[in-house]
Every structure is written in C-alpha cells, then in structure tokens.
Amino acid sequence: MTPIKHYLQFKDFSREEYEYVFERAKWIKDKFKRYEPYHPLFDRTLVMIFEKASTRTRLSFEAGMQQLGGSAIYLNTRDSQLGRGEPVEDAAQVISRMSDLVMIRTFEQEMVECFAANSRVPIINGLTNEYHPCQILADVFTFIEQRGCIQGKTVAWVGDSNNMCNTWLQAAEILDFNVHVSTPPGYEVEPERAGLYGTANFEAFADPMEACKGADLVTTDVWTSMGFEAENEERKKDFADWCVDAEMMAVANKEAVFMHCLPAHRGEEVTAEVIDGPQSVVWEEAENRLHAQKALMEYLMLGRIEAR
Ligand code: CP
Ligand code: NVA
C-alpha cells in the first residue's frame, strides 16, 4: 500500500510537487472563473477541526470542497469530544473512518503529527503554533501570478518569528529564494524551529529597513499570534519599530508587492497607507487560499491527474 500523503509542513512537498500544484491551482482557478463546474471530489467528505478561530481558512476549505463536488463538516473543540479530553489517537481513528480528508487548526504541531500517524486519510495543517503551510502555498502562488517565478527572489519578513515566518523559511529552502528576517531583539528566528539546520536562503537583520532593501516581496503578520494573547501588551511595546510603512516599501524593489495573511491591524504591524496602497496584493492573496487549497485537496486525494 502506498503511504498516505499528508500536508503537515511546507517541506512535506518537493519543489517538483509544488510546480505541479501551482499549475493545477491556476487551471482550477481559470475554470472556476469561467463558471465551469469541476467536481473531481464528488461524494467525498472533508472534516475541518478548529481549536482556534478562523475566517479565511474555514471559508476557503468549506467553499473549496463544495466547489469540487464534495462536502465539508466543521468541528470545534467547544462542542465536540475533542475539547473534553478524548485522546487524539482515538479521535483520528474515528474521524478518518467517516471522512476522506481532514484539515486541522490547532496549537501544537505535535497534535497534527499525532493525528496523522493514526489516520486512514490525508491530514492538512490549517495552522499550528509552528507552521501555516496552506497560507504560504497561497502566497507563493500569488507571487507567481503577480510577478512570475519566485526562484532567486527576496522576501522580506518584518515582525514576529512566528508560524508564518517559519513556513516562509521552509519554502525558501525548497523553492530556492531568499528570506530576509527582521525581528525585535528577543524574538529572533530559531532556524531549528522551522525544521532547518543552517540554510543559505535565510539572513537575519536587526534593522527592518535593511531587511527590506531590494526585496521583491515585503510581508508581515500580527505581533501577537493566537494562543499568545497574554503577551499582547508587552509585544505592542517591543514591536513598535517593526511596522511596515511607506519608507520600508520605498527601499524595496520598485516592483515589490506587499502581502499579509490577514487579519491585519492597521497602525500596528502595517500602516493603512501600505496595506491599502498600490503595492498591496492582500485581497488577491486571500482569494488564492481558495484556489491553491482546491489544488492541494485534489492532489492529496487523487494524486497527479492530466489536465481535463
Ligand atoms: N490567514 C488566515 O489563516 O486567516 P484565518 O485565521 O481567518 O483563517
Ligand atoms: N500568526 C497568526 C496567523 C493568523 C492567520 C496566528 O497564528 O494567529
């Protein structure tokens, strides 16, 4: 039996697999835009487990599964047995016998790894404290759409060394681009946390302006991620100089785009001028969660297929 393919971290796919998935995302998106039905996942069921809040992830997976001909079921910790201490191993056994695909948003990466180890169906990481691979899948797809090949380009990450930052680092290694990271002191990136052990694609900068110099893509995220709310007030002080503003965009490449996974806090990690300005592609980026994840679900469920 071929082992089940899961998507738990960005590094779970090779560069060649990403090339295929991006090609499929474009094909699926174009077809959808022409209002042509495409139902390769007819009769299949996606279960979505949320232990943290979500707008985009829930909507894009639920709408995406319906558009591919299947259906999606939403479970959360509050009103399922998951919040009442049922072992993850048991939940995985049961849920994966009643569904064809499972997407999980939770706290520890360990939970999705454990779920996958006990599952009969593919598992997708819909965000953990450590990684957010579906978002970077959509972000890279968006960059390619907007500016072409990402290989050899430079992404400037300004802010917290969080799940998004870790995932950008994995993506840089696999797809061969550079990431310039600037975080406040005390919040520096730990390459091991991203599952990397010394990569040539990563450079740290104390000054966010330096990180943005010559960048092709400038990106940031909330100063306080879900699960870290107790640190919010302290982080507001520590991150005050890590707000992406017009000056940072001015030192980036003239053609640079700005991305943010959203939700955003204007006046904190990014100014309104930048996120609502001409270089921002945040709405295209958000929409592409739908198209990229449809390609991801198709690939996990059906493997490689010829364009129809
Ligand atoms: N970017 C993202 O994952 O958004 P949600 O938290 O709304 O799902
Ligand atoms: N880093 C953020 C991303 C939200 C989509 C968080 O984990 O809360």
Side-chain angles (χ1 to χ4, degrees), residues 2-14 17-18 92 96 100-104 109 112-125 133-134 296 299-301:
T2 35
I4 302 163
K5 201 152 187 61
H6 302 292
Y7 193 58
L8 308 181
Q9 305 189 23
F10 199 89
K11 67 176 188 181
D12 286 347
F13 286 5
S14 66
E17 286 177 296
Y18 279 111
S96 70
D100 303 287
L101 187 60
V102 179
M103 191 283 306
I104 306 173
Q109 178 71 15
V112 295
E113 306 275 350
C114 175
F115 201 106
N118 291 279
S119 171
R120 295 181 158 205
V121 302
I123 306 302
I124 298 172
N125 177 351
C134 294
L296 172 68
Y299 180 56
L300 290 174
M301 305 269 318

Side-chain angles (χ1 to χ4, degrees), residues 53-57 105 132 135 226 261-263 289:
S54 168
T55 298
R56 280 144 288 268
T57 304
R105 168 168 287 196
H132 196 0
Q135 182 68 53
M226 291 180 280
C261 66
L262 306 174
R289 292 291 301 279

